[in-house]
Amino acid sequence: MPDGRPQTSVVWCDFDGTHVCVNTMRGFQKERKMRRDPRVALLCYDPRDPSRYLEIRGSVVGMTEEGAVEHLDAIASAYLGRAVRYFGDVIDAGFAQSETPILCRILPTHVVARDSTAGASS
């Protein structure tokens, strides 16, 4: 937060083989925070088994507008299980005029995987 406390928010993410990729919008608090301090943490859990999760800590190593809309469309389609356009199908199409997506690439530095049936590993 502006006073230095951690900020949390729900995000969709995917993995490109090297980086965890998330999106935000230009000017949002999340974007400003990651530019000021690239250290981030993500917690991803299995909605069918909340005791099965990944904790990922790392650093934002890239933030770009290039490819951000396409990434939003792809990740929204993956999460929704069908082909969609983020602006228009997920949120109102009018937001495409006022919001600029930023694709953020996070390099993991520490990962903890927990599976309730297999135990924890890191």
Side-chain angles (χ1 to χ4, degrees):
M1 304 303 291
D3 66 1
R5 290 178 295 151
Q7 177 203 8
T8 61
S9 56
V10 176
V11 296
W12 287 341
C13 64
D14 63 5
F15 186 65
D16 69 8
T18 302
H19 305 101
V20 177
C21 299
V22 301
N23 256 274
T24 189
M25 299 294 166
R26 184 186 323 139
F28 278 21
Q29 184 171 319
K30 185 182 327 154
E31 186 235 3
R32 294 190 316 266
K33 187 270 177 204
M34 289 188 293
R35 289 194 190 281
R36 187 177 64 248
D37 182 350
R39 296 173 298 168
V40 297
L42 296 126
L43 181 62
C44 311
Y45 76 95
D46 182 342
R48 295 167 301 209
D49 181 1
S51 66
R52 183 173 180 239
Y53 64 87
L54 286 173
E55 175 194 354
I56 302 165
R57 285 182 250 156
S59 293
V60 177
V61 295
M63 297 177 75
T64 183
E65 294 176 22
E66 187 176 323
V69 172
E70 294 81 5
H71 180 257
L72 271 175
D73 290 346
I75 201 166
S77 296
Y79 272 82
L80 297 175
R82 59 186 171 82
V84 297
R85 294 184 57 171
Y86 184 77
F87 292 110
D89 294 323
V90 178
I91 67 170
D92 187 277
F95 283 110
Q97 304 306 311
S98 61
E99 304 297 339
T100 301
I102 305 292
L103 173 58
C104 309
R105 289 185 174 86
I106 300 165
L107 183 63
T109 56
H110 184 80
V111 176
V112 174
R114 170 78 176 153
D115 185 332
S116 61
T117 61
S121 63
S122 53

